[in-house]
Amino acid sequence: MSTSVQRLGLWSACVAQLIVVLDVSVVNVALPSIQADLGLGRVTTSWVAMAYSLAFAGTLLVGARLADVVGTARLLTWGVATFTLASVVGGVATDGWMLIAARAAQGLSAAVVSPATFTVLTITHAEGPGRTRAIAVWTAVSLAGGGVGNIASGVLTDLISWRATLLINLPIGIGVVAAAAVLRRRSTDRTVGGRIDLAGAVLATGAFACAAYALSSVAEDATAELSAMAGIAAAVLFILLLGQQRRTPHQLVPSRLARDRLIVLGNTATALTGACFQVGLWYFLTYRVQAQLGYSPIQAGLAFLPLTVSMLAVNLWITPRLITRHAPRVLVVVGAGVAAPGLLWLAALDPDAFVLAILVPSVVIGVGGGLMNTPLATLVTTGVLPEHAGAASGLMNTAKQFGGAIGLAAASTAAAVTGTDQAAFVLMGIALLAVIVVAAGIPGGRDESQRGTRRGH
């Protein structure tokens, strides 16, 4: 690939990924305003965040397969266009369910966009230092998107309206569509043909949604029976999904990838990490600084700067150097080992003093998160055959989004049962301790990220 195509691919991938990740968190700081404006309950409000993640996670594998079947650049163009349209609908929503439906539509579109962005990197950058740097930039953008989303949410909500947090995607989306169209003309958009497993996607999305509903509503007496029924439905749908995947020749996850121990353990660690960093951490910090400290939306958004900057700086400038000297799994263990105490720190202290109870532990969490995210992405994608590149990146993003949605549901229930957000931070800390255990079992040595072994065959 020429340098100009690589740069265009990197720019398109990163900006598209930015709006996808930004919209996971862009409503976080706006949630109290949304709740008051539309008259929503706390659980319904949490679904404004969860609807996006659930739709995203449930259809990511189909989105990844679409990238392999119809072409990455083409899919990126279509996906960003529909994502932008859904953002506009959400921005003009007049009630809670219209907003939740628009957020779900955003998630469906994001499921097409996100794996396409990562696949653009893998097909425009050969394995080696160049791809590692590209992945580091893409990961940095993904991490920054969460923080930028919270800051933008606070600024836009305070100065304009919570609706601006969604409508801001219109000009950005138009720019990305134009860039993706140019990339499509200037690069070879490889396709492998085949069919899409829509039945598997429906079963997966249904199982995820039922599991999230069961977890998020279990603490409410009025919905106890519905919660139990949703839990049973989730189990049934999951069993049906496993059976359907054994029978279909067009699996959501190619069987060769599903049997790879490194990919299975790496994505398990990714899901556990997503339970903390994808939604939950930002969600509960938002309510802590606004409800308990009385911060305005702008102040709340700016309160996320230490976490965002520390995570971004470590991921962009320190981790790429360390990954050439140490096995990715070692960095994952170290990163989780640093971040977990930060979450437990948040749980242990009363948030009256911002510096000691929020700023310092946020920096600790940011450093740990910055150390582990790029190594996780490297672990689950290095050496995968080109025809499985979309499926591998889709599986990684599915694990991250599913972990985020289920993690938020579980943490919300823990907070509701105990009456305090400390329980949520403890639960997230335990998830990162589990990451250490899982990552310690990942096979491979210090040259895992560069060994070039072709997995998936």
Side-chain angles (χ1 to χ4, degrees), residues 102-120:
R103 291 284 290 166
Q106 278 187 307
L108 291 173
S109 302
V112 169
V113 173
S114 189
T117 65
F118 195 84
T119 306
V120 163

PDB file of all heavy atoms in Angstrom, residues 102-120:
ATOM      1  N   ALA A 102     -33.575   5.430  18.945  1.00  0.00           N
ATOM      2  CA  ALA A 102     -32.538   6.066  18.128  1.00  0.00           C
ATOM      3  C   ALA A 102     -31.149   5.634  18.578  1.00  0.00           C
ATOM      4  O   ALA A 102     -30.251   5.408  17.750  1.00  0.00           O
ATOM      5  CB  ALA A 102     -32.669   7.590  18.208  1.00  0.00           C
ATOM      6  N   ARG A 103     -30.964   5.501  19.881  1.00  0.00           N
ATOM      7  CA  ARG A 103     -29.673   5.035  20.406  1.00  0.00           C
ATOM      8  C   ARG A 103     -29.397   3.604  19.961  1.00  0.00           C
ATOM      9  O   ARG A 103     -28.255   3.248  19.636  1.00  0.00           O
ATOM     10  CB  ARG A 103     -29.659   5.132  21.928  1.00  0.00           C
ATOM     11  CG  ARG A 103     -29.648   6.545  22.455  1.00  0.00           C
ATOM     12  CD  ARG A 103     -28.284   7.170  22.323  1.00  0.00           C
ATOM     13  NE  ARG A 103     -27.340   6.554  23.257  1.00  0.00           N
ATOM     14  CZ  ARG A 103     -26.028   6.699  23.190  1.00  0.00           C
ATOM     15  NH1 ARG A 103     -25.485   7.396  22.213  1.00  0.00           N
ATOM     16  NH2 ARG A 103     -25.240   6.117  24.083  1.00  0.00           N
ATOM     17  N   ALA A 104     -30.455   2.772  19.932  1.00  0.00           N
ATOM     18  CA  ALA A 104     -30.275   1.403  19.445  1.00  0.00           C
ATOM     19  C   ALA A 104     -29.902   1.411  17.964  1.00  0.00           C
ATOM     20  O   ALA A 104     -29.037   0.639  17.521  1.00  0.00           O
ATOM     21  CB  ALA A 104     -31.547   0.596  19.673  1.00  0.00           C
ATOM     22  N   ALA A 105     -30.537   2.295  17.187  1.00  0.00           N
ATOM     23  CA  ALA A 105     -30.192   2.404  15.760  1.00  0.00           C
ATOM     24  C   ALA A 105     -28.761   2.877  15.579  1.00  0.00           C
ATOM     25  O   ALA A 105     -28.044   2.415  14.669  1.00  0.00           O
ATOM     26  CB  ALA A 105     -31.164   3.360  15.067  1.00  0.00           C
ATOM     27  N   GLN A 106     -28.313   3.791  16.430  1.00  0.00           N
ATOM     28  CA  GLN A 106     -26.913   4.195  16.408  1.00  0.00           C
ATOM     29  C   GLN A 106     -26.008   2.991  16.658  1.00  0.00           C
ATOM     30  O   GLN A 106     -24.978   2.813  15.993  1.00  0.00           O
ATOM     31  CB  GLN A 106     -26.635   5.240  17.490  1.00  0.00           C
ATOM     32  CG  GLN A 106     -26.999   6.664  17.146  1.00  0.00           C
ATOM     33  CD  GLN A 106     -26.519   7.609  18.230  1.00  0.00           C
ATOM     34  OE1 GLN A 106     -26.808   7.422  19.413  1.00  0.00           O
ATOM     35  NE2 GLN A 106     -25.777   8.623  17.838  1.00  0.00           N
ATOM     36  N   GLY A 107     -26.394   2.176  17.644  1.00  0.00           N
ATOM     37  CA  GLY A 107     -25.592   1.002  17.973  1.00  0.00           C
ATOM     38  C   GLY A 107     -25.504   0.018  16.819  1.00  0.00           C
ATOM     39  O   GLY A 107     -24.445  -0.558  16.556  1.00  0.00           O
ATOM     40  N   LEU A 108     -26.636  -0.190  16.124  1.00  0.00           N
ATOM     41  CA  LEU A 108     -26.636  -1.078  14.961  1.00  0.00           C
ATOM     42  C   LEU A 108     -25.691  -0.564  13.879  1.00  0.00           C
ATOM     43  O   LEU A 108     -24.928  -1.331  13.274  1.00  0.00           O
ATOM     44  CB  LEU A 108     -28.052  -1.201  14.400  1.00  0.00           C
ATOM     45  CG  LEU A 108     -29.079  -1.951  15.266  1.00  0.00           C
ATOM     46  CD1 LEU A 108     -30.460  -1.830  14.652  1.00  0.00           C
ATOM     47  CD2 LEU A 108     -28.686  -3.422  15.413  1.00  0.00           C
ATOM     48  N   SER A 109     -25.715   0.746  13.640  1.00  0.00           N
ATOM     49  CA  SER A 109     -24.824   1.331  12.641  1.00  0.00           C
ATOM     50  C   SER A 109     -23.372   1.254  13.097  1.00  0.00           C
ATOM     51  O   SER A 109     -22.469   0.975  12.300  1.00  0.00           O
ATOM     52  CB  SER A 109     -25.215   2.793  12.384  1.00  0.00           C
ATOM     53  OG  SER A 109     -26.543   2.902  11.946  1.00  0.00           O
ATOM     54  N   ALA A 110     -23.147   1.503  14.385  1.00  0.00           N
ATOM     55  CA  ALA A 110     -21.786   1.429  14.928  1.00  0.00           C
ATOM     56  C   ALA A 110     -21.211   0.029  14.787  1.00  0.00           C
ATOM     57  O   ALA A 110     -19.998  -0.147  14.614  1.00  0.00           O
ATOM     58  CB  ALA A 110     -21.787   1.854  16.391  1.00  0.00           C
ATOM     59  N   ALA A 111     -22.098  -0.984  14.843  1.00  0.00           N
ATOM     60  CA  ALA A 111     -21.645  -2.367  14.695  1.00  0.00           C
ATOM     61  C   ALA A 111     -21.085  -2.634  13.307  1.00  0.00           C
ATOM     62  O   ALA A 111     -20.288  -3.557  13.102  1.00  0.00           O
ATOM     63  CB  ALA A 111     -22.806  -3.327  14.978  1.00  0.00           C
ATOM     64  N   VAL A 112     -21.509  -1.845  12.337  1.00  0.00           N
ATOM     65  CA  VAL A 112     -20.969  -1.933  10.985  1.00  0.00           C
ATOM     66  C   VAL A 112     -19.682  -1.124  10.868  1.00  0.00           C
ATOM     67  O   VAL A 112     -18.704  -1.547  10.262  1.00  0.00           O
ATOM     68  CB  VAL A 112     -22.011  -1.432   9.959  1.00  0.00           C
ATOM     69  CG1 VAL A 112     -21.387  -1.264   8.590  1.00  0.00           C
ATOM     70  CG2 VAL A 112     -23.193  -2.398   9.884  1.00  0.00           C
ATOM     71  N   VAL A 113     -19.682   0.056  11.504  1.00  0.00           N
ATOM     72  CA  VAL A 113     -18.566   0.985  11.351  1.00  0.00           C
ATOM     73  C   VAL A 113     -17.306   0.513  12.080  1.00  0.00           C
ATOM     74  O   VAL A 113     -16.208   0.510  11.507  1.00  0.00           O
ATOM     75  CB  VAL A 113     -18.968   2.390  11.853  1.00  0.00           C
ATOM     76  CG1 VAL A 113     -17.758   3.328  11.859  1.00  0.00           C
ATOM     77  CG2 VAL A 113     -20.076   2.964  10.991  1.00  0.00           C
ATOM     78  N   SER A 114     -17.449   0.120  13.351  1.00  0.00           N
ATOM     79  CA  SER A 114     -16.261  -0.137  14.171  1.00  0.00           C
ATOM     80  C   SER A 114     -15.363  -1.252  13.641  1.00  0.00           C
ATOM     81  O   SER A 114     -14.149  -1.053  13.512  1.00  0.00           O
ATOM     82  CB  SER A 114     -16.685  -0.431  15.615  1.00  0.00           C
ATOM     83  OG  SER A 114     -15.548  -0.469  16.451  1.00  0.00           O
ATOM     84  N   PRO A 115     -15.903  -2.444  13.327  1.00  0.00           N
ATOM     85  CA  PRO A 115     -15.002  -3.467  12.773  1.00  0.00           C
ATOM     86  C   PRO A 115     -14.409  -3.060  11.435  1.00  0.00           C
ATOM     87  O   PRO A 115     -13.287  -3.435  11.102  1.00  0.00           O
ATOM     88  CB  PRO A 115     -15.895  -4.705  12.645  1.00  0.00           C
ATOM     89  CG  PRO A 115     -17.290  -4.204  12.658  1.00  0.00           C
ATOM     90  CD  PRO A 115     -17.269  -2.969  13.502  1.00  0.00           C
ATOM     91  N   ALA A 116     -15.168  -2.259  10.663  1.00  0.00           N
ATOM     92  CA  ALA A 116     -14.631  -1.786   9.384  1.00  0.00           C
ATOM     93  C   ALA A 116     -13.437  -0.876   9.608  1.00  0.00           C
ATOM     94  O   ALA A 116     -12.455  -0.929   8.850  1.00  0.00           O
ATOM     95  CB  ALA A 116     -15.711  -1.059   8.590  1.00  0.00           C
ATOM     96  N   THR A 117     -13.488  -0.029  10.642  1.00  0.00           N
ATOM     97  CA  THR A 117     -12.351   0.861  10.901  1.00  0.00           C
ATOM     98  C   THR A 117     -11.102   0.067  11.244  1.00  0.00           C
ATOM     99  O   THR A 117     -10.010   0.371  10.762  1.00  0.00           O
ATOM    100  CB  THR A 117     -12.650   1.845  12.049  1.00  0.00           C
ATOM    101  OG1 THR A 117     -12.811   1.140  13.278  1.00  0.00           O
ATOM    102  CG2 THR A 117     -13.896   2.664  11.768  1.00  0.00           C
ATOM    103  N   PHE A 118     -11.261  -0.955  12.077  1.00  0.00           N
ATOM    104  CA  PHE A 118     -10.095  -1.749  12.462  1.00  0.00           C
ATOM    105  C   PHE A 118      -9.577  -2.566  11.287  1.00  0.00           C
ATOM    106  O   PHE A 118      -8.368  -2.712  11.090  1.00  0.00           O
ATOM    107  CB  PHE A 118     -10.444  -2.672  13.636  1.00  0.00           C
ATOM    108  CG  PHE A 118      -9.236  -3.240  14.323  1.00  0.00           C
ATOM    109  CD1 PHE A 118      -8.575  -2.522  15.300  1.00  0.00           C
ATOM    110  CD2 PHE A 118      -8.748  -4.491  13.982  1.00  0.00           C
ATOM    111  CE1 PHE A 118      -7.450  -3.042  15.928  1.00  0.00           C
ATOM    112  CE2 PHE A 118      -7.630  -5.019  14.600  1.00  0.00           C
ATOM    113  CZ  PHE A 118      -6.980  -4.288  15.586  1.00  0.00           C
ATOM    114  N   THR A 119     -10.498  -3.095  10.484  1.00  0.00           N
ATOM    115  CA  THR A 119     -10.088  -3.878   9.322  1.00  0.00           C
ATOM    116  C   THR A 119      -9.356  -3.009   8.302  1.00  0.00           C
ATOM    117  O   THR A 119      -8.436  -3.474   7.627  1.00  0.00           O
ATOM    118  CB  THR A 119     -11.309  -4.560   8.672  1.00  0.00           C
ATOM    119  OG1 THR A 119     -12.004  -5.313   9.672  1.00  0.00           O
ATOM    120  CG2 THR A 119     -10.882  -5.506   7.569  1.00  0.00           C
ATOM    121  N   VAL A 120      -9.766  -1.742   8.185  1.00  0.00           N
ATOM    122  CA  VAL A 120      -9.040  -0.821   7.301  1.00  0.00           C
ATOM    123  C   VAL A 120      -7.562  -0.771   7.689  1.00  0.00           C
ATOM    124  O   VAL A 120      -6.672  -0.773   6.828  1.00  0.00           O
ATOM    125  CB  VAL A 120      -9.665   0.599   7.361  1.00  0.00           C
ATOM    126  CG1 VAL A 120      -8.704   1.639   6.791  1.00  0.00           C
ATOM    127  CG2 VAL A 120     -10.971   0.632   6.585  1.00  0.00           C
TER     128      VAL A 120
END
